Amino acid sequence: QVKLVESGGGSVQAGGSLRLACSVSGLSFYTMGWFRQAPGKEREGVASRGLDGITEYADSVKGRFTISQDNGKNTLYLQMNNLKPEDSAMYSCAGAVDRISPVRRRTVSEYKYWGQGTQVTVSS
């Protein structure tokens, strides 16, 4: 059974930091990503990473968020610094077995496997 389980969400004040983790079991992924969805908005790709080491970030998080992966622990991370109220959303990780072109790694439809999500709330 393939499972992706996120953790690390919570409530923080603007300017604070959180580190999200996505624990993977049951399958190995070449490409993984972090996505978020705020109420009333579409799910958007925040950051992605492949085994080729190429990372992609949404413009809104560049310089503040860092995606990384610990292959030994089968865990994907998202370090989020200098958080802003507009970062508040449900954050989910996703995985794809195949290599996805870097330009499409933050596209929702490219991923088959998804976690349930972890809530991030940033107050001003």
Side-chain angles (χ1 to χ4, degrees):
Q1 183 180 5
V2 181
K3 292 183 66 176
L4 290 78
V5 180
E6 300 93 339
S7 61
S11 296
V12 65
Q13 289 191 327
S17 298
L18 285 173
R19 187 193 195 201
L20 305 184
C22 172
S23 178
V24 179
S25 61
L27 197 61
S28 295
F29 299 121
Y30 189 100
T31 313
M32 294 199 71
W34 283 100
F35 294 77
R36 66 186 181 188
Q37 187 169 22
K41 295 188 177 181
E42 292 187 355
R43 181 177 285 179
E44 65 168 341
V46 174
S48 65
R49 187 181 186 282
L51 291 181
D52 52 18
I54 298 173
T55 57
E56 292 281 329
Y57 295 93
D59 288 343
S60 59
V61 307
K62 281 181 181 177
R64 300 188 298 122
F65 290 12
T66 303
I67 188 171
S68 62
Q69 191 165 0
D70 184 335
N71 291 324
K73 295 181 179 179
N74 292 327
T75 303
L76 182 75
Y77 300 99
L78 185 67
Q79 177 68 44
M80 305 187 295
N81 298 328
N82 190 21
L83 283 161
K84 303 176 180 181
E86 52 264 42
D87 294 320
S88 296
M90 180 69 76
Y91 283 72
S92 302
C93 62
V97 174
D98 296 327
R99 181 182 187 272
I100 300 173
S101 171
V103 297
R104 293 195 59 79
R105 287 180 180 176
R106 289 185 290 108
T107 302
V108 172
S109 60
E110 293 287 347
Y111 293 87
K112 178 179 180 181
Y113 300 95
W114 290 84
Q116 292 299 308
T118 184
Q119 180 68 39
V120 171
T121 302
V122 184
S123 58
S124 58

